[in-house]
Amino acid sequence: MKTLHHEAAMQVEQIDAYEALVQFLYRAPIGLVQTKLDGGVEMLNPMASNLLMPLASDGGLDNLFAVLEGVAPQLQQMADAFEQPSGVVCEALRVPLREGRSAPGAPQVLSISLMKLDPERLMAAITDATLEMQREQENLRRRLRSAARTDALTRLPNRAAARDQLQSLLDRQGVDDRFALLFLNCDRFRQVNDTLGQAGGDQLLTAVGDRLLAALADRMRAAGLPADGRIDPAAGGAGLVARVGGDEFVVLLDGLRHPDEAERLALRLLDALARPHTVGGHEVACRASIGVYWDGGAGGDADEAIRDAGIAMIEAKRAGGARHVVFEASMRERAARRADIEAQLRTALLEEQLFVVYQPVVGLAADGTVDHAAGVEALVRWQHPTRGLVPPFDFIGIAEECGLIDQIGDFVLARSCTDFMRWRAELGERAPRLMAVNLSRAQLAQPDWTAKVAAILAETGMPAASLQLEVTESLAAQDEQIQVRLHELKGLGVKLALDDFGTGYSSLSSLHLLPVDTVKIDRSFVCKADTSHHHQVLIEATVKVAQSLGMNTVAEGIETAAQLDAVRAQSCAKGQGYLFSRPLVSSALVEWIGARFAAPGQA
Ligand code: C2E
Ligand code: MG
Ligand code: MG
């Protein structure tokens, strides 16, 4: 009896355990189906029938493979192909459900795992993977969005990301914080690309980005941003370093109070870029020009703010680069005028509105005689259809910035060589013996410039020794690249002159380093040659040093007989200026020379 009772109790206990197991399977938030090898359903829990019911076209769940035939026909094939007595047939197979079949909120994707329990039976575990899939898709979208807002080369945020963050800073209201927008453009980057090649240029840009980040690391940290600055560009933030164009970067920093802070920031970045970079084993300098835009708190449009910072950057570039300039509203008008001139200059080149005038350069002998055939200097002019005659000062700089100087320079060189050869034919002995042509920085930066000069000499028949190319002292003293180009030109047999001497940075003590034949003393010294003792001494010293180095000297801008006497007293070899002649068109120059030779000695 006792044992019987005990057995009954045991049975009850077993039934309870069995019931618990059934309840467990019944409530499991995962669909479980046990089938025969052919898919015939033996058991399934409610979750499984919930998930599978919408797929059962005839309303029955007799065969798993038949139910899934429309959405996962491969499942049966996998089961058939599975030869081992037991094991995992497939794991977490994603099965998208046909659209339209699922009601709103119903599963869109199932995840199905299939196991072989024994040689006779299969077990499927089925879950609703809709949420999981949505999360994955959102992640993918975010990654794609972030890729669309990341610069592929530097991994920094790109222009779109910078613009958005800038706009959100401009749009906020009622805060005391101000921000600074720094627009940075590498100086002479084209030259770097020409020398190092594209890959080297890319490397340099990445290095520049890294320098900027490093220089701002503490500010970034203070603003609660990651110190490496590689902020998720999709997320917001109070600052960033972005690459917004070829060699252009934008730095945005919030949490400032005074415009001085923006300027200090600019100086800090300039400082960081002052050290040379090492690219492909070479030391490369990459200075930059920075335009600073200070947030006045008045809001505005992000694109306009970037444009304004860019305008200030161009002012920094015009001032010689490696510096910063703070944007002011008046710069907009100047920029518009420059854009206007640029467009008109393109037309001018097409419609041949440019022409060349020649200013005589005369020889000054100690005995007071003047050699009128010593040479001429070619000076470009622009006959504008409505503005009249435009002086080079008003357009050479702009032409340099927009790249038109190459074409202008080629035109001036070819035209002056042609004219020079014509004078030789017309005037014989009395023709000018030297043709001086001005060069600009951009021309010298062209890698094929020397070959171009050689080609023009060959085409026109101009002897190399009769051509003198003039470079300003600040240009000649610049980087190694320019030095190399100057030596190449010397190799052609062309003469080189240092223009506007006295106005740049280089001094008499470094004159011997430059590969020049002639020093042209700037008009600002010559105009005081007869009145200022200081200037007299400077001219005298220049002539002496030049002579000791075997160089020629020309006094520029002689306007009076007194100035002429003064420079002649310092033994300056040649002179140029309104006293002798203003620049003349070719035909007028021929007449001028004719008249001088008809009445020799006349100045
Ligand atoms: P620069 O090479 O120093 O040319 C001399 C300038 O001084 C010329 O001005 C000339 O007209 C002016 N000048 C000559 N004698 C006198 C004088 O006695 N008194 C005064 N007040 N001025 C005198 P311009 O033609 O206006 O040229 C200005 C500058 O523009 C040139 O300075 C040169 O740097 C640049 N330039 C002119 N033509 C070209 C060109 O074809 N290519 C390039 N790259 N630059 C050019
Ligand atoms: Mg000159
Ligand atoms: Mg000059």
Side-chain angles (χ1 to χ4, degrees), residues 377 438 470 499-501 520-523 556:
E377 175 171 6
N438 294 285
E470 301 194 356
D499 210 347
D500 306 341
F501 188 80
K520 297 187 79 168
I521 302 167
D522 192 65
R523 186 162 60 87
E556 290 186 306

